Amino acid sequence: MNITPLRAAIIGCGVISDIYIQSLQNKFKIIDVVACFDLNEDKMANTANNYHLRAMSYEAILADDQIQMIINLTNPKSHYDIIKQALEHHKHVFSEKMIAVNLEDGQELCQLAKENHVRLGVAPDTFLGAGIQTARYIVDKGLIGHPLSAIVSLNRDFDVYADIFPHMNQVGGTLPFDTGCYYMTALASILGPAIRVSAFGRRYRPERIGKRTDRPWFGESSTVEAQNIVTAIVEYENGTLCTVHFNSENILAEDPVLTLFGDEGTLKLGDPNNFDSPNILQKPNNDPVDFPFSHGYRENSRGLGAAEMAWSITKQRPHRASMEMAYHVFELIHGMYISANQSQIYELQSTFEKPAPLPTGYLDNGFWGPTEESALIF
Ligand SMILES: NC(=O)c1ccc[n+]([C@@H]2O[C@H](COP(=O)([O-])OP(=O)(O)OC[C@H]3O[C@@H](n4cnc5c(N)ncnc54)[C@H](O)[C@@H]3O)[C@@H](O)[C@H]2O)c1
């Protein structure tokens, strides 16, 4: 098939940029990554060399009419500025999570994208992977009956993680935002919008000392800026009630829990941070079944959301990792903090259309070979 790919620039050449560029160069024909920029010149030069890209300043990228799309892989604190400038220059943007740090900034970016008639898509895109698309299939086919309730639990050790990525102990970067967003996005894509949330929070051991000798902040003290243990109850528009537990101060291995309870069955999803999370379906009078994947993209396919957005632009249909769903999840997590801080139930202001499921049947290494994009082209 003859397609004209969208020309894109990568902004932020850090840890996650490799898998993005590899996916886009090897798997998805719809995006042509042509340039990159990072404030850190060494990282920018390495990325440009490794992937045969042009290293350009952000000003030059924005001024280049040939570049239609910005893929924003900077740290969350830079997201607002990078996205805003790109939208102002009438470029489509796909950004890593979260959309911004402050709620108002996220809202402003969505408004700007609408006003300038350009697309804004935001990660996580793991909900487009085989694991969560299969969970969606199971629920849509009625295999658990009516979804009634859900449990989310996520534990991590941010004494380790935040010593590598300090923003994880800062406002807008804590565990509910950084990793909880995968769980809340998976649920949003399956259940639809939430309507209200009530939460408690605790800021445990606020003073920290940098422990990693390979980091410039070794030996320096820093402060955990927001509650690092959060529990919440979320009510969804479809009536599902969800209990949420986020704890970034647990030293044991992660034990991700994402379970949906219906009136005809129970579905245990795997880690929604992965593309190939398993789905264990329990029906009455039967052993639990490890449900086979109904969808493709089992391997690490970060960049899939950007590719799907590029296909959507080409085909003039809505893209799935939409700014509306991303902003709603962002508001939901902010709502947990607002509720905890004000001892009040937080009523969500935003809503979104549940993204259409991807077509079933496409397996990434299937009969058309590893670069087939049949799941996204239609
Ligand atoms: N590391 C992961 O496993 C992972 C996984 C999924 C998503 N993410 C998300 O991806 C994004 C990037 O994460 P990362 O792990 O690659 O971080 P990183 O710190 O390794 O890389 C971020 C890069 O962005 C650059 N940068 C920051 N502000 C900039 C600006 N204004 N202009 C140009 N460059 C700028 C930094 O110099 C750095 O090289 C974050 O939003 C993160 O939440 C990370």
Side-chain angles (χ1 to χ4, degrees):
M1 188 173 64
N2 250 347
I3 52 157
T4 310
L6 271 79
R7 279 176 301 278
I10 298 284
I11 312 300
C13 303
V15 172
I16 207 65
S17 63
D18 284 305
I19 183 65
Y20 260 85
I21 300 171
Q22 287 160 15
S23 290
L24 295 173
Q25 288 191 338
N26 302 329
K27 207 183 320 216
F28 302 115
K29 297 186 283 287
I30 193 66
I31 292 180
D32 183 11
V33 182
V34 295
C36 65
F37 168 65
D38 197 300
L39 289 174
N40 179 318
E41 289 185 6
D42 290 342
K43 286 188 185 181
M44 176 164 69
N46 275 341
T47 300
N49 283 339
N50 290 345
Y51 299 105
H52 310 290
L53 308 177
R54 269 185 293 153
M56 293 169 75
S57 70
Y58 197 35
E59 291 69 32
I61 288 170
L62 292 173
D64 188 334
D65 289 340
Q66 299 293 308
I67 296 176
Q68 300 147 292
M69 185 172 176
I70 298 300
I71 299 180
N72 177 25
L73 309 180
T74 61
N75 310 101
K77 271 195 176 157
S78 298
H79 286 184
Y80 170 77
D81 278 341
I82 294 290
I83 298 172
K84 186 173 177 186
Q85 290 185 64
L87 296 175
E88 283 173 345
H89 283 79
H90 298 270
K91 299 200 189 290
H92 304 295
V93 181
F94 188 87
S95 177
E96 253 306 328
K97 44 85 183 175
M98 305 287 300
I99 186 169
V101 172
N102 302 319
L103 214 40
E104 304 71 35
D105 289 350
Q107 212 167 20
E108 182 192 329
L109 294 174
C110 293
Q111 188 57 32
L112 186 57
K114 271 188 219 151
E115 282 168 12
N116 285 2
H117 305 288
V118 283
R119 302 287 188 107
L120 172 56
V122 185
D125 59 0
T126 46
F127 79 92
L128 296 171
I132 299 167
Q133 287 295 307
T134 300
R136 167 89 186 260
Y137 178 89
I138 291 168
V139 174
D140 285 357
K141 291 285 175 198
L143 293 176
I144 64 164
H146 295 103
L148 302 175
S149 61
I151 299 177
V152 163
S153 177
L154 166 62
N155 64 302
R156 270 197 174 180
D157 183 359
F158 267 27
D159 223 22
V160 174
Y161 278 92
D163 211 13
I164 304 170
F165 300 108
H167 73 266
M168 291 181 170
N169 275 336
Q170 295 166 3
V171 170
T174 48
L175 185 69
F177 291 100
D178 182 76
T179 319
C181 65
Y182 291 95
Y183 293 71
M184 305 323 290
T185 301
L187 285 180
S189 73
I190 295 169
L191 300 174
I195 51 172
R196 53 187 185 154
V197 58
S198 178
F200 290 98
R202 176 175 179 193
R203 198 159 64 108
Y204 176 71
R205 214 161 52 76
E207 299 308 326
R208 301 291 159 103
I209 305 283
K211 291 179 188 154
R212 290 185 69 102
T213 49
D214 62 343
R215 290 295 191 272
W217 47 85
F218 173 69
E220 284 180 12
S221 59
S222 63
T223 305
V224 176
E225 292 179 0
Q227 292 95 325
N228 42 18
I229 300 164
V230 174
T231 61
I233 297 170
V234 181
E235 183 179 9
Y236 286 86
E237 199 175 271
N238 75 354
T240 306
L241 300 179
C242 176
T243 299
V244 179
H245 163 249
F246 294 134
N247 181 343
S248 65
E249 304 309 310
N250 181 268
I251 59 169
L252 295 178
E254 262 177 76
D255 181 17
V257 175
L258 178 51
T259 306
L260 276 168
F261 299 85
D263 57 0
E264 291 181 21
T266 299
L267 177 63
K268 290 189 180 180
L269 290 84
D271 184 346
N273 199 347
N274 297 331
F275 282 79
D276 63 347
S277 51
N279 289 283
I280 309 297
L281 177 64
Q282 173 79 68
K283 299 285 286 180
N285 303 319
N286 280 300
D287 292 333
V289 172
D290 186 350
F291 202 88
F293 290 127
S294 53
H295 286 71
Y297 301 111
R298 287 165 297 175
E299 74 292 1
N300 185 354
S301 300
R302 284 178 203 269
L304 173 58
E308 196 278 333
M309 188 173 99
W311 276 114
S312 302
I313 293 166
T314 307
K315 296 286 176 184
Q316 299 180 327
R317 57 171 165 74
H319 60 278
R320 288 171 166 82
S322 69
M323 63 180 180
E324 289 86 359
M325 185 167 78
Y327 177 78
H328 184 78
V329 169
F330 185 55
E331 189 197 359
L332 174 58
I333 297 172
H334 268 291
M336 292 178 191
Y337 278 96
I338 295 169
S339 167
N341 289 333
Q342 299 182 355
S343 295
Q344 280 181 2
I345 293 173
Y346 178 84
E347 313 258 351
L348 277 107
Q349 308 291 306
S350 66
T351 189
F352 65 96
E353 290 286 324
K354 218 161 59 163
L358 286 175
T360 57
Y362 167 65
L363 298 175
D364 42 82
N365 55 359
F367 40 90
W368 281 310
T371 58
E372 173 59 44
E373 292 180 279
S374 57
L376 304 181
I377 289 171
F378 60 96

